Amino acid sequence: MAFQSELEVFRKFLKNQGMRYTPEREAIIKEIFSIHDHFDVDGLYISMRRKGLRVSKASIYRLIPLLIEANLIAEVFFDKGQTYYEHIYGHEHHCHLRCKECKKIEEFSDPRLKDLEKELSERFGYKILTHKLQVIGICSKCQAKEDSA
Amino acid sequence: MAFQSELEVFRKFLKNQGMRYTPEREAIIKEIFSIHDHFDVDGLYISMRRKGLRVSKASIYRLIPLLIEANLIAEVFFDKGQTYYEHIYGHEHHCHLRCKECKKIEEFSDPRLKDLEKELSERFGYKILTHKLQVIGICSKCQAKEDSA
DNA sequence: AGGCTTATTGATACTGAGTTACAATTTCTT
DNA sequence: AAGAAATTGTAACTCAGTATCAATAAGCCT
Ligand SMILES: [Zn+2]
Ligand SMILES: [Zn+2]
Ligand SMILES: [Zn+2]
Ligand SMILES: [Zn+2]
């Protein structure tokens, strides 16, 4: 099966659900898939406005659950009232190492988590869908700052 | 060193910080440590009211960051606008397997996560503080429901 | 024990993310 | 081209969490 673009995948998803493909949805998806980083609704809205793309925040809020349902994006973490997302379509699954002080993020993946998923599935009888591992620490720069303080 | 109760630990923490030990704080902590499960602010508040313990929600909200700072409790997850916490003082660190449908939670721990922490520490130069692993799946009961649907 | 300083409390007002209601508009099917 | 139904933007709303502030109380010092 040939690789399908995010837009194609989403069009099919919408059709399946009896939902409609609109210019607003297209604009938001294009914007999301042009940002190759973690993003939040407010940042997305602001960057769209700056480009003259006028969609309401309500439409963004309404679209996000659909993109999650369609496995195009996923929630990565929630910090201080902000929910952050990232693309997952076409990306290897990965986890996040975050600096508690400066909020810097490192991404990593580890095959042991797949093994663990398998074991949990057998042990508890769950069908495993995904996992989210956040490791929290202090980066080298922030450690240096702390030591000199 | 002998085992110290949560209250003792917290009294020392407060003293260290030049803060005061009040009946309200004591009541909240006792309530929290009598609940051996994940809890949220609203549930805590309601169960205290039912027992005739009158403290304001503001005091609960103000206390929680202190208990986290003192390593007595930790945030476990955030779901649909609710933040859930659990005791960590005197408990082994563990992670959570959650059913997406019915929200049931299984706890588990795995020594491989400690190894992973160590490797990440070396690879990225971080001082690792903790990790939070959430595995999301569908429990056997909910799988059965889905199949028959 | 009494007095003083300063932290804490509860009430209330506020903030900000996310949701909802609804009339106007647009998509999609036939 | 017409009509049913979904989607849009606006504005009102919800609700967790925070900030303000006057009244109160903890802890320290004598
Ligand atoms: Zn840092
Ligand atoms: Zn990421
Ligand atoms: Zn279930
Ligand atoms: Zn737990």
Side-chain angles (χ1 to χ4, degrees):
Chain A
M1 185 168 70
F3 178 81
Q4 295 177 74
S5 76
E6 297 84 11
L7 276 171
E8 283 173 320
V9 172
F10 194 57
R11 283 192 97 125
K12 282 181 188 166
F13 172 84
L14 288 175
K15 192 137 200 175
N16 253 349
Q17 313 269 317
M19 292 173 173
R20 291 169 186 178
Y21 190 75
T22 67
E24 290 83 1
R25 286 176 173 168
E26 185 177 301
I28 300 165
I29 296 171
K30 282 187 175 166
E31 184 66 26
I32 288 177
F33 284 93
S34 78
I35 301 171
H36 292 283
D37 202 357
H38 307 108
F39 65 93
D40 65 345
V41 168
D42 230 62
L44 187 65
Y45 178 71
I46 291 168
S47 73
M48 290 186 75
R49 302 243 23 173
R50 268 207 276 268
K51 294 180 188 168
L53 302 166
R54 317 198 132 261
V55 289
S56 69
K57 266 194 198 172
S59 290
I60 300 178
Y61 277 117
R62 284 190 279 235
L63 183 58
I64 282 181
L66 301 181
L67 294 174
I68 291 173
E69 188 65 26
N71 280 310
L72 291 170
I73 67 171
E75 208 180 296
V76 237
F77 46 77
F78 176 83
D79 193 40
K80 304 213 168 126
Q82 293 290 325
T83 306
Y84 293 87
Y85 306 89
E86 69 183 358
H87 320 168
I88 55 171
Y89 181 69
H91 292 256
E92 276 300 311
H93 177 84
H94 62 264
C95 299
H96 298 92
L97 168 59
R98 299 167 57 197
C99 175
K100 194 189 175 187
E101 301 298 328
C102 69
K103 311 297 174 190
K104 188 167 67 171
I105 293 168
E106 308 284 353
E107 300 190 331
F108 66 91
S109 55
D110 191 289
R112 281 168 290 193
L113 290 164
K114 267 286 160 215
D115 302 340
L116 177 58
E117 277 194 6
K118 195 142 192 291
E119 289 168 27
L120 290 170
S121 173
E122 284 159 14
R123 180 166 155 207
F124 292 104
Y126 276 53
K127 182 167 92 188
I128 307 297
L129 300 173
T130 188
H131 66 259
K132 267 196 280 188
L133 171 60
Q134 287 178 63
V135 183
I136 290 114
I138 302 186
C139 75
S140 47
K141 276 192 186 167
C142 292
Q143 281 176 66
K145 267 181 232 158
E146 278 191 351
D147 292 344
S148 66
Chain B
M1 183 167 70
F3 177 82
Q4 297 176 73
S5 75
E6 297 84 11
L7 275 171
E8 284 172 319
V9 172
F10 193 58
R11 283 191 97 125
K12 282 181 188 166
F13 172 85
L14 287 175
K15 191 139 200 173
N16 253 349
Q17 314 268 318
M19 291 173 174
R20 291 169 187 179
Y21 190 75
T22 68
E24 289 83 2
R25 285 176 173 170
E26 186 179 300
I28 299 165
I29 297 170
K30 282 186 174 167
E31 184 65 26
I32 286 177
F33 284 93
S34 77
I35 300 171
H36 292 284
D37 202 357
H38 308 107
F39 65 92
D40 65 345
V41 168
D42 230 63
L44 188 64
Y45 178 72
I46 291 168
S47 73
M48 290 186 76
R49 304 249 12 179
R50 268 207 275 269
K51 294 180 187 167
L53 301 165
R54 317 197 133 261
V55 290
S56 68
K57 264 193 201 173
S59 290
I60 300 178
Y61 277 117
R62 284 189 280 234
L63 184 58
I64 281 180
L66 301 181
L67 294 174
I68 291 174
E69 188 65 27
N71 280 311
L72 292 170
I73 67 170
E75 209 180 296
V76 236
F77 46 78
F78 176 84
D79 192 38
K80 304 213 169 125
Q82 293 290 325
T83 306
Y84 292 86
Y85 306 90
E86 69 183 356
H87 321 167
I88 55 170
Y89 180 69
H91 291 256
E92 277 298 312
H93 176 84
H94 62 264
C95 298
H96 299 91
L97 168 59
R98 301 166 58 196
C99 175
K100 194 190 177 187
E101 301 299 327
C102 69
K103 311 296 176 192
K104 189 167 66 174
I105 293 168
E106 308 284 352
E107 299 189 331
F108 66 90
S109 55
D110 192 290
R112 280 167 290 193
L113 289 165
K114 267 286 160 216
D115 302 339
L116 177 58
E117 277 194 6
K118 194 143 194 287
E119 290 167 27
L120 289 170
S121 172
E122 284 159 13
R123 179 165 155 209
F124 292 104
Y126 276 52
K127 182 167 91 186
I128 306 297
L129 301 172
T130 188
H131 67 259
K132 268 195 280 189
L133 171 59
Q134 288 178 62
V135 183
I136 291 114
I138 303 187
C139 76
S140 46
K141 276 191 189 170
C142 291
Q143 280 176 65
K145 267 182 234 160
E146 279 191 351
D147 291 343
S148 66

